[in-house]
Amino acid sequence: YIEPLPPKEDGSPRYSSTSKYIFRDEDGKILGLYGIGRDITHEYKACKNYQRELDYLANMHKTCYVSLLMDITDWKLMKMGGYASTLPSAPNFASIDDFKKYTSERVVEDVDVKRFLASMTRESLRDIYDSGRRVITMEYMRRMPDGAERWVRGELRFLLNPDTWHIMIFFILIDIDDSKRSQKELARAAEEDSMTGLLDHDATFKHITRYLEMEGTGGTHALFMIDVDNFKIVNDTFGHQTGDDVITDIASAIKKTFRDTDIVGRVGGDEFMALMKNAPNKSVVARKAAELIEAMQYDLKTGRGAVTLSGSAGISIYHGDGKTLESLYNEADAALYGAKLDGKNRYEFANSESGGEEGLSPSETELLSSVHLRTLINNMEGGVLICSMYKDGDIKIEYVSPSSFKTFNRERDELGENGQNIFSLVLPEYMDDLRNSIRATAATGELTDFTYQVYTNNGQDTAWRHLRASCLPENTVPRRIVCVITDITKIKESEESLRQ
């Protein structure tokens, strides 16, 4: 039987396995009792631990997704536990290798976890056990069988089977999604720029560096260095509070330009940095840059004056070549400086990306070039439309400048994101002639002028507009027409007064 022994000097318990025997003389008379004891503290603890883990396996917590018992010595899957009722089920694994493959395929982005699972062999796990390590914990995002992505914690507990002396591993997978997301929100709050809600300087560099060194190391990505043009004028003219408001608005516009998966941060007073992940080619990056420059157009008007702001950007490309963030930053910063010298309100690629807008067709190149002109007239007293003219005579509006909404005194949602409802404001008696004027421009390539009336004040009043249409310098189908629309109501009223 097992009985306790006097504890060790450090107070830890000891146990003995004792066998007792009757001692007799030659005639069989009982002379006494003797016992033989053996210190089994190590075996006793191993047995207790093993039984405790078996009990844990049988009584899993409700957040436990799955549990496995593996015999590492025989490289054999011994037992598989049930699943939490609130989580999607996993398949029954035929072997340890099947378990490794299935688990690795469902790890989201975490390269370290994938590497560990790939390195799991009988020999490597025995080495871990021999080193004295008894628990390995991994927290990572896992793609569940139903497609959802949840945070989980995987625990590998090393034990020695007291009956076979085989090295065993209990593996449990616990759902920690709620607590992890709460931690992430707190960590994110600690990394946020208090004014804009973007990542702050240090967090921006940390996240981009980690991405380039880990899951993004083999991809193609674009680093943007972004600066607000002439921002000092705002602080000097309107004060720092107004300046803070402008920075917040522009930061929001920059954030919306990029995807949620991209990394965007504020790295200085009016300086921003963004990593566009997994860019297919340079032409896609160029279109994103054009969209960014357009989004940064800002018209500030207060009782103390008015100023129009724009933005500039420098871009360097990571080609999966192991280039460091420091190197990418220096290249993008130099390109940003070049954009400033070239007149601001534009973007430039780093010198290492020389060769123009590679991958772009001539029409795409011209459209990107026109973006700079477009941004210059976004705040004019009038609007700019770009229409596509199809062979069947159909006219489709592709772009409407922000100034168009001011010209027509309408919100963006009233006219549509691309202004597709802008013709609905034209009085019916002018509609056919207006469309025919645009069609004539597409057919002849010549400038066309047309004067017409539109509804204002929710249809209660009317106003005069002038449209000048011209073709973009390209030979494509459909033809694209640039229409500049101005408000000439006061001119018409003056003409009428003079006539009378």
Side-chain angles (χ1 to χ4, degrees):
Y1 60 92
I2 298 173
E3 60 183 358
L5 293 174
K8 296 180 181 180
E9 293 181 359
D10 62 3
S12 58
R14 296 168 63 227
Y15 299 91
S16 170
S17 175
T18 304
S19 299
K20 294 183 179 180
Y21 303 91
I22 297 175
F23 183 68
R24 303 174 185 271
D25 62 14
E26 294 177 354
D27 299 327
K29 183 179 179 180
I30 296 176
L31 299 177
L33 206 64
Y34 74 92
I36 300 175
R38 182 172 63 88
D39 189 330
I40 60 164
T41 302
H42 179 73
E43 294 92 331
Y44 181 79
K45 288 183 176 179
C47 185
K48 286 293 185 181
N49 287 340
Y50 193 72
Q51 187 58 50
R52 185 165 50 250
E53 295 299 333
L54 286 177
D55 292 342
Y56 188 85
L57 181 65
N59 300 283
M60 292 182 300
H61 190 270
K62 64 180 180 180
T63 60
C64 185
Y65 171 54
V66 65
S67 61
L68 302 171
L69 176 61
M70 296 176 276
D71 187 327
I72 300 306
T73 303
D74 283 346
W75 200 245
K76 183 179 180 182
L77 188 61
M78 302 295 294
K79 187 176 180 181
M80 191 167 178
Y83 314 101
S85 59
T86 58
L87 295 172
S89 61
N92 289 313
F93 303 115
S95 66
I96 295 177
D97 290 325
D98 282 347
F99 157 73
K100 286 173 50 182
K101 182 175 183 293
Y102 180 86
T103 303
S104 180
E105 288 173 348
R106 278 147 186 81
V107 175
V108 179
E109 291 190 348
D110 198 315
V111 178
D112 291 339
V113 173
K114 286 179 175 286
R115 286 174 180 167
F116 174 78
L117 291 169
S119 70
M120 273 180 55
T121 63
R122 187 195 325 239
E123 293 74 20
S124 67
L125 294 174
R126 176 179 287 277
D127 289 342
I128 292 173
Y129 180 83
D130 290 342
S131 72
R133 192 174 181 184
R134 292 295 180 264
V135 179
I136 294 176
T137 302
M138 304 172 292
E139 294 186 355
Y140 60 94
M141 184 78 79
R142 176 186 174 92
R143 186 175 295 106
M144 294 299 181
D146 63 357
E149 294 180 354
R150 300 183 66 86
W151 278 98
V152 297
R153 181 173 67 246
E155 295 181 4
L156 288 84
R157 300 166 178 254
F158 289 80
L159 295 162
L160 191 65
N161 188 324
D163 296 324
T164 63
W165 298 102
H166 285 187
I167 297 175
M168 311 293 288
I169 285 182
F170 284 104
F171 174 80
I172 58 175
L173 193 66
I174 301 172
D175 185 272
I176 59 169
D177 193 70
D178 290 342
S179 61
K180 193 68 176 180
R181 290 187 188 277
S182 295
Q183 293 174 12
K184 287 283 185 180
E185 289 177 5
L186 291 174
R188 171 77 186 193
E191 293 180 336
E192 281 184 358
D193 172 60
S194 59
M195 182 189 301
T196 64
L198 302 181
L199 293 172
D200 63 20
H201 177 279
D202 292 345
T204 302
F205 277 81
K206 181 184 76 173
H207 283 272
I208 294 178
T209 297
R210 183 185 183 282
Y211 181 79
L212 294 179
E213 292 178 350
M214 302 296 289
E215 58 264 35
T217 187
T220 300
H221 320 292
L223 184 74
F224 287 70
M225 282 301 301
I226 308 161
D227 186 80
V228 182
D229 298 327
N230 304 319
F231 178 71
K232 187 175 182 298
I233 297 174
V234 177
N235 282 336
D236 292 346
T237 305
F238 303 95
H240 288 279
Q241 182 57 57
T242 299
D244 291 349
D245 294 340
V246 170
I247 287 294
T248 300
D249 290 344
I250 292 178
S252 176
I254 293 173
K255 178 65 175 176
K256 290 178 181 177
T257 301
F258 291 92
R259 301 163 295 183
D260 290 340
T261 53
D262 295 331
I263 300 172
V264 183
R266 181 187 179 206
V267 296
D270 59 343
E271 294 180 345
F272 302 85
M273 180 187 291
L275 183 74
M276 180 184 176
K277 298 180 181 178
N278 300 314
N281 51 58
K282 188 177 177 181
S283 64
V284 172
V285 177
R287 283 194 287 270
K288 178 62 68 176
E291 182 183 348
L292 171 68
I293 298 304
E294 180 182 349
M296 293 183 69
Q297 305 305 301
Y298 195 92
D299 189 19
L300 175 62
K301 294 180 180 179
T302 74
R304 302 174 65 178
V307 63
T308 298
L309 299 176
S310 59
S312 298
I315 308 163
S316 58
I317 307 294
Y318 176 90
H319 293 285
D321 49 10
K323 189 178 291 185
T324 65
L325 176 56
E326 181 181 7
S327 178
L328 291 169
Y329 171 83
N330 289 336
E331 291 180 359
D333 196 48
L336 172 62
Y337 182 72
K340 294 282 193 180
L341 289 180
D342 288 342
K344 305 179 182 179
N345 193 33
R346 67 190 63 228
Y347 67 89
E348 287 191 11
F349 283 93
N351 289 335
S352 59
E353 303 299 321
S354 59
E357 305 300 346
E358 60 185 27
L360 286 175
S361 66
S363 62
E364 288 175 315
T365 303
E366 289 162 2
L367 179 59
L368 287 173
S369 298
S370 71
V371 168
H372 302 305
L373 173 60
R374 193 167 65 198
T375 56
L376 290 175
I377 59 179
N378 273 343
N379 293 285
M380 65 183 289
E381 292 299 324
V384 177
L385 282 68
I386 297 180
C387 308
S388 290
M389 174 62 64
Y390 293 85
K391 289 183 177 180
D392 61 1
D394 187 31
I395 301 172
K396 181 180 179 182
I397 298 177
E398 305 287 355
Y399 167 80
V400 174
S401 69
S403 60
S404 300
F405 300 100
K406 291 186 291 184
T407 298
F408 286 92
N409 195 26
R410 290 290 193 279
E411 297 296 329
R412 185 178 292 270
D413 57 357
E414 294 181 84
L415 299 183
E417 184 67 24
N418 294 323
Q420 59 266 29
N421 301 324
I422 203 166
F423 286 156
S424 66
L425 303 178
V426 179
L427 268 63
E429 56 265 34
Y430 293 96
M431 181 62 73
D432 289 342
D433 289 340
L434 174 62
R435 292 182 179 274
N436 289 334
S437 295
I438 298 175
R439 294 186 181 110
T441 298
T444 65
E446 298 179 354
L447 287 174
T448 301
D449 291 283
F450 185 74
T451 299
Y452 61 100
Q453 285 185 289
V454 296
Y455 289 113
T456 61
N457 193 22
N458 295 321
Q460 302 298 315
D461 300 311
T462 60
W464 287 95
R465 299 288 185 266
H466 174 266
L467 177 142
R468 169 163 288 187
S470 61
C471 289
L472 282 174
E474 58 190 20
N475 186 22
T476 61
V477 177
R479 295 297 302 272
R480 284 185 289 190
I481 313 299
V482 177
C483 301
V484 179
I485 302 174
T486 52
D487 185 343
I488 59 169
T489 302
K490 291 183 178 180
I491 295 176
K492 280 289 188 179
E493 291 175 348
S494 298
E495 289 178 350
E496 180 64 20
S497 297
L498 291 173
R499 188 185 65 81
Q500 292 178 353

